[in-house]
Amino acid sequence: MSLRAAITGVHGYVPDYVLTNAELERMVETNDEWITTRTGIKERRILKGESQGTSVLATEAVRGLLEKTGTSPKDIDLVICATVTPDYMFPSTANLVCTNLGIPSICSFDLLAACSGFIYALTTGAQFIESGRYKKVIVIGADKMSSIIDYEDRTTCVLFGDGAGAVLLEPTTENLGVIDFMLHSDGSGGDYLMMKGGGSVYPASHETVDKRMHFIKQEGPQVFKFAVTNMADAAAAIMERNNLTGDDVEWLVPHQANKRIIDATAKRMGIGEEKVMLNIQKYGNTTAGTIPLCLFDYEKQLKKGDDLVLAAFGGGFTWGAMYVRWAI
Ligand code: UT7
């Protein structure tokens, strides 16, 4: 049988500081009832302190992953970090994580696909394993969203939090691991969810700062409309292609942007809420971090051979779904 990429370890990290809905009520005109009913979020984690970037979150997630899998840094072949909040434009956050952990001179890079970043990166990492080229690949989803949030904008500041998760991929000849994927993008939706400043069109200037262009801007209802349709469509399509019914799927692992989008996806797949991984209530939307953090949170409930559908939608637009059979 051909090689598949199995997830052989998962770990996550969130910073200590808890930003509650009550605290947000004191910062902007909002309330717990609105946030809870519209999104499902109760609190989120924030990385505080000077000179603390996404690599801090990612490093802790990978440190735990190496420890619990008994993996030596020198045996890692590739590190991919999905993020929209890299420490710097360059060097990449993946490079910094490798240096922090003594992972020597290997191929490492960042990948940007916003909230779909982790499934894009997991798919990419899996290709290197399936080709036989690499034996141990680390895929990280990490974002310090608080670094690009305008805490005067109530339409976005209640939604996002900071966090990271990471998985180890290794080859298997068993029928486990990444079985199928479907990834999509549509740049015509880019304007609905973006950070305009800081790139090559609007490099940082006094004007971009004055116009608050280094923060996320989102047209929530527009994004909601596309997210609810495309995430559910992607999940349903991957099930159909693999002849899976709702009964066959043990877990939906959805991107955590809005509980209502997650519920719609589960309904479309024909699965009950007891099969849906959910941590939006305690972490909010951690962008590339949501899916690996879910896997980490639910790890103890997962059994070898469980069929998982991962589904995401995010800025870009980007979206997609993966069919993964749990290997641990
Ligand atoms: O992960 C990346 C992809 N992103 C997503 O998938 C997010 C998709 N969008 C959403 O999840 C939802 O659109 C939001 C949660 C962002 C917003 O929920 P909504 O039901 O679409 O609300 P809305 O934007 O239509 O706003 C409804 C009302 C407005 O007031 P008026 O115009 O009806 O008077 C807003 O000004 O709620 C108001 N509002 C708020 N009120 C209290 C907006 N934000 C807040 C707030 N607190 N934080």
Side-chain angles (χ1 to χ4, degrees), residues 29-31 34 38-39 115 154-155 158-159 193 218 220-221 223-224 227 255 257-258 260-261 285 313-315:
E29 200 179 322
T30 190
N31 56 78
W34 190 97
R38 299 282 175 133
T39 70
C115 295
R154 69 173 182 172
T155 68
V158 302
L159 304 175
L193 174 51
Q218 173 172 248
V223 179
F224 186 91
H255 170 54
N258 188 315
R260 290 181 287 150
I261 299 171
N285 183 349
F313 181 89

Side-chain angles (χ1 to χ4, degrees), residues 91-318:
S92 78
T93 305
N95 294 174
L96 300 175
V97 170
C98 289
T99 299
N100 290 344
L101 294 169
I103 299 174
S105 311
I106 54 151
C107 173
S108 67
F109 59 91
D110 288 356
L111 184 153
L112 194 155
C115 295
S116 309
F118 185 76
I119 61 169
Y120 267 67
L122 187 59
T123 300
T124 306
Q127 308 311 303
F128 286 93
I129 297 277
E130 288 169 17
S131 70
R133 191 77 185 192
Y134 290 145
K135 301 271 183 293
K136 288 186 194 292
V137 172
I138 288 178
V139 178
I140 310 164
D143 271 300
K144 184 188 174 187
M145 295 306 291
S146 61
S147 65
I148 56 168
I149 293 299
D150 182 351
Y151 284 98
E152 293 181 11
D153 176 5
R154 69 173 182 172
T155 68
T156 50
C157 74
V158 302
L159 304 175
F160 295 94
D162 302 339
V167 298
L168 178 63
L169 291 177
E170 294 181 271
T172 179
T173 49
E174 289 184 82
N175 195 19
L176 298 167
V178 175
I179 293 178
D180 198 7
F181 64 88
M182 286 180 175
L183 302 176
H184 303 278
S185 69
D186 178 1
S188 69
D191 286 348
Y192 294 125
L193 174 51
M194 75 185 307
M195 188 176 83
K196 261 199 164 141
S200 51
V201 177
Y202 300 106
S205 66
H206 287 294
E207 193 187 350
T208 61
V209 172
D210 290 345
K211 289 185 170 166
R212 309 180 85 74
M213 288 167 69
H214 299 277
F215 295 125
I216 279 189
K217 291 279 180 302
Q218 173 172 248
E219 288 183 34
Q222 283 292 347
V223 179
F224 186 91
K225 205 171 69 187
F226 284 101
V228 88
T229 310
N230 287 323
M231 202 162 113
D233 281 356
I238 206 137
M239 286 173 69
E240 195 179 326
R241 188 154 84 181
N242 292 279
N243 299 315
L244 296 171
T245 66
D247 290 340
D248 300 321
V249 176
E250 267 84 22
W251 293 100
L252 165 63
V253 195
H255 170 54
Q256 312 276 308
N258 188 315
K259 171 90 163 53
R260 290 181 287 150
I261 299 171
I262 295 170
D263 291 345
T265 304
K267 191 169 171 206
R268 178 78 183 281
M269 293 168 67
I271 65 168
E273 62 180 0
E274 72 287 352
K275 291 183 171 187
V276 180
M277 293 192 189
L278 205 66
N279 60 17
I280 190 171
Q281 69 284 2
K282 53 181 184 171
Y283 303 144
N285 183 349
T286 55
T287 303
T290 64
I291 289 180
L293 274 172
C294 272
L295 293 172
F296 176 56
D297 278 354
Y298 282 78
E299 189 187 3
K300 289 199 171 61
Q301 297 180 56
L302 290 168
K303 296 184 303 297
K304 188 172 179 176
D306 277 357
D307 283 323
L308 277 52
V309 171
L310 283 48
F313 181 89
F317 291 136
T318 55

